Amino acid sequence: MAQEESTSLLVDLAQDYYLNHLNLGDISKKYNISRYKISKYLSEAVDKKIVTINISSPFSRSHDLENKLNSIFPNPNFYVLKNTEDIAHENDRFYSFAAKYLQDLIDGKKIIGLTWGDTIYHVIDSFQSTAKDNMVFTQFIGENGKHNSLAGTMRMVQKVATRYNGKYLTIDAPLYIMNKDVRRLLALEPAIQPTLATAQQLDLIFTSVGTVDSINSIDSWHDSKKVLFPNVNSDSIAALVYGRPINKDGKLLIDESNDKVFGISFKKVLHVPSRVAIVNDKFKSSALKAALLGNYFTDVILNEPTANKILAEL
């Protein structure tokens, strides 16, 4: 077959298959060519660039920003959602993007811990339902005190367990307990001890990054900051990770003897193999930067504006 005729046939076959959506049987009858040969011709059309295939995803990642962040913070895996012009659905896109990659990270894990917050709530809302009845979702630290919020941890572990048809465990106690003896004895209560024992074996945690505003938004915590974080100037708190304050360089501002958080120890948290942070608020860029400097996460899911702001601040 002459070169021109060969190219013309490849174009005709490709147009009928890809643009006119004829199946192989219809094309075989039209050109009196076997299906096997049509498949070969279509592959040849791709090889010769007669057919080029572009896949446009609403969840495209910004690999350039991921590489820039990795050059500064080499330990975490970064997943950065690339911007589009669809500003009206920006948050929904991010929640779906975060849900996709978080579910990939969760896959194969058995004991998953989580915290609270609107972002976490909406990400769970975007999860695809799947049956994993051997999976357990659990709190690993106490409640944040927003008992009237749907985004409190107790409600969240139940919500995510429903998505996986799994089990859930809760801690019916506040995030901060001042008295050391009360913390110790409460951990032995039959209603709480099984949750804490399970949380000691966490495979993965997913959370966000807190700020001092999250403390100030709850009256009981706001009025007790000096007791919650003894010898800590609240102006020096750049972020809260797993309920604990850190400064702008990522340094933990309290030691173990002054840690008022009720739950598994901070040291134990940092031994969890996968610790995922999800942030889509550029106003939390400074808080996330501090947490990255402290190396508190293994995976970070964020949007392009937040990534750009972190890089600009550096």
Side-chain angles (χ1 to χ4, degrees):
M1 190 185 294
Q3 180 67 32
E4 269 188 38
E5 289 180 1
S6 173
T7 301
S8 178
L9 177 61
L10 293 180
V11 170
D12 289 342
L13 292 175
Q15 284 181 330
D16 279 339
Y17 185 74
Y18 290 106
L19 299 180
N20 299 330
H21 304 296
L22 297 183
N23 60 39
L24 293 181
D26 293 335
I27 296 172
S28 177
K29 289 177 185 176
K30 181 175 178 178
Y31 294 94
N32 195 26
I33 302 172
S34 71
R35 296 185 186 197
Y36 171 74
K37 280 193 173 181
I38 292 167
S39 294
K40 284 191 69 177
Y41 287 144
L42 290 173
S43 295
E44 188 180 340
V46 172
D47 292 339
K48 291 182 173 180
K49 309 296 184 189
I50 292 169
V51 172
T52 58
I53 299 171
N54 293 312
I55 299 173
S56 180
S57 168
F59 307 133
S60 295
R61 289 167 60 179
S62 176
H63 296 293
D64 179 51
L65 283 174
E66 291 173 359
N67 291 334
K68 285 179 180 177
L69 287 167
N70 264 133
S71 69
I72 301 164
F73 310 106
N75 292 319
N77 302 304
F78 288 97
Y79 307 83
V80 180
L81 175 64
K82 187 181 286 187
N83 274 353
T84 69
E85 294 179 1
D86 188 10
I87 299 172
H89 300 97
E90 189 175 315
N91 282 336
D92 290 337
R93 281 182 59 250
F94 178 79
Y95 298 139
S96 298
F97 172 83
K100 176 192 181 308
Y101 284 101
L102 179 56
Q103 287 199 279
D104 287 346
L105 292 168
I106 287 174
D107 192 39
K109 309 291 193 301
K110 290 190 176 180
I111 303 175
I112 293 96
L114 62 149
T115 59
W116 52 82
D118 290 337
T119 297
I120 302 299
Y121 177 88
H122 289 298
V123 170
I124 293 170
D125 230 16
S126 299
F127 273 11
Q128 297 295 315
S129 295
T130 180
K132 300 275 186 179
D133 53 12
N134 64 336
M135 196 173 276
V136 178
F137 294 88
T138 183
Q139 289 179 248
F140 61 97
I141 52 178
E143 269 291 329
N144 65 340
K146 293 187 176 180
H147 301 294
N148 296 322
S149 170
L150 290 174
T153 324
M154 290 178 70
R155 292 180 178 88
M156 298 259 254
V157 290
Q158 182 177 13
K159 183 181 180 70
V160 69
T162 301
R163 294 286 182 179
Y164 279 88
N165 193 34
K167 300 172 184 175
Y168 67 93
L169 295 167
T170 61
I171 296 176
D172 192 9
L175 173 61
Y176 300 109
I177 296 177
M178 309 299 184
N179 188 291
K180 185 177 181 179
D181 290 330
V182 172
R183 286 198 306 275
R184 180 178 58 81
L185 293 170
L186 191 58
L188 300 175
E189 286 293 324
I192 292 175
Q193 195 276 332
T195 301
L196 294 178
T198 302
Q200 297 285 341
Q201 307 169 64
L202 285 169
D203 298 309
L204 179 144
I205 285 169
F206 64 95
T207 183
S208 192
V209 181
T211 66
V212 75
D213 288 341
S214 58
I215 294 293
N216 291 335
S217 66
I218 300 168
D219 291 341
S220 56
W221 302 150
H222 173 266
D223 298 339
S224 308
K225 273 190 294 189
K226 289 183 179 178
V227 185
L228 290 178
F229 311 130
N231 305 316
V232 174
N233 182 342
S234 61
D235 291 336
S236 67
I237 300 175
L240 293 169
V241 288
Y242 314 115
R244 282 86 173 186
I246 61 172
N247 67 14
K248 63 186 177 70
D249 298 318
K251 183 182 176 184
L252 189 64
L253 291 172
I254 54 168
D255 56 26
E256 190 175 350
S257 63
N258 284 315
D259 189 357
K260 311 298 184 187
V261 172
F262 181 71
I264 64 174
S265 71
F266 193 67
K267 193 173 183 179
K268 190 69 181 178
V269 170
L270 296 185
H271 278 94
V272 175
S274 296
R275 304 181 305 278
V276 187
I278 306 171
V279 180
N280 72 322
D281 185 349
K282 64 182 180 180
F283 296 107
K284 284 192 173 184
S285 60
S286 296
L288 179 55
K289 181 185 71 172
L292 291 171
L293 288 168
N295 197 27
Y296 296 111
F297 305 117
T298 61
D299 300 87
V300 181
I301 303 172
L302 67 164
N303 59 7
E304 190 170 330
T306 307
N308 276 323
K309 197 168 179 189
I310 289 172
L311 292 168
E313 289 176 2
L314 289 167

